[in-house]
Amino acid sequence: MKDMKFVMTLAFALAAVLTASAQNSNNETDSVSYTLGEIVVRANPRVTSLKGDALLTRVAGTQLEHAGTANDVLKQVPMVLGSDGSFEVFGKGSPAIYVNGRLLHDASELAQISSENIRNVELITNPGSGY
């Protein structure tokens, strides 16, 4: 997956004028004008979004990348409660945890996965027959 960074630049054909007014003791108004050449608006993609029937949480390129281990990342995923390999999905019970399509049988494996090696976490609240 490509590194997704969005930068949007808005440049006005006509210069935007910012006017600041101040009152002095004689009730006269002094005006100061500034001309803005361009305005830059920067936005980052959402960390958590819905993708079909899954809640997708991006880890790569976010603060979660520096969380430590997979346990630390899962603590920060919305709707996931618990810690140290003992997790529960809010209102759904204990989850089955898959890494790259492989079911984890031992919760201690999560402590061995560095958060820097995780691209994203998918929380599938209504899994199909494939799971």
Side-chain angles (χ1 to χ4, degrees), residues 8 14 42 46 48 80 93 121:
M8 179 174 39
L14 301 173
R42 294 188 179 168
R46 293 182 180 180
T48 302
V80 176
V121 175

Side-chain angles (χ1 to χ4, degrees), residues 29-120:
T29 303
D30 295 331
S31 295
V32 179
S33 296
Y34 297 101
T35 302
L36 302 176
E38 80 179 38
I39 297 172
V40 177
V41 178
R42 294 188 179 168
N44 293 321
R46 293 182 180 180
V47 174
T48 302
S49 61
L50 285 174
K51 178 185 165 191
D53 63 347
L55 186 66
L56 183 69
T57 302
R58 284 185 318 108
V59 177
T62 67
Q63 290 296 328
L64 291 174
E65 185 175 44
H66 308 291
T69 65
N71 278 321
D72 300 321
V73 171
L74 287 176
K75 287 185 220 177
Q76 302 299 319
V77 173
M79 296 180 58
V80 176
L81 308 169
S83 62
D84 300 326
S86 176
F87 293 99
E88 181 179 315
V89 177
F90 185 74
K92 300 289 184 176
S94 181
I97 299 175
Y98 288 79
V99 175
N100 293 337
R102 185 179 66 86
L103 178 65
L104 291 184
H105 295 288
D106 188 10
S108 66
E109 292 180 62
L110 290 173
Q112 299 171 3
I113 300 172
S114 172
S115 61
E116 294 176 348
N117 296 329
I118 301 172
R119 182 180 303 145
N120 58 42

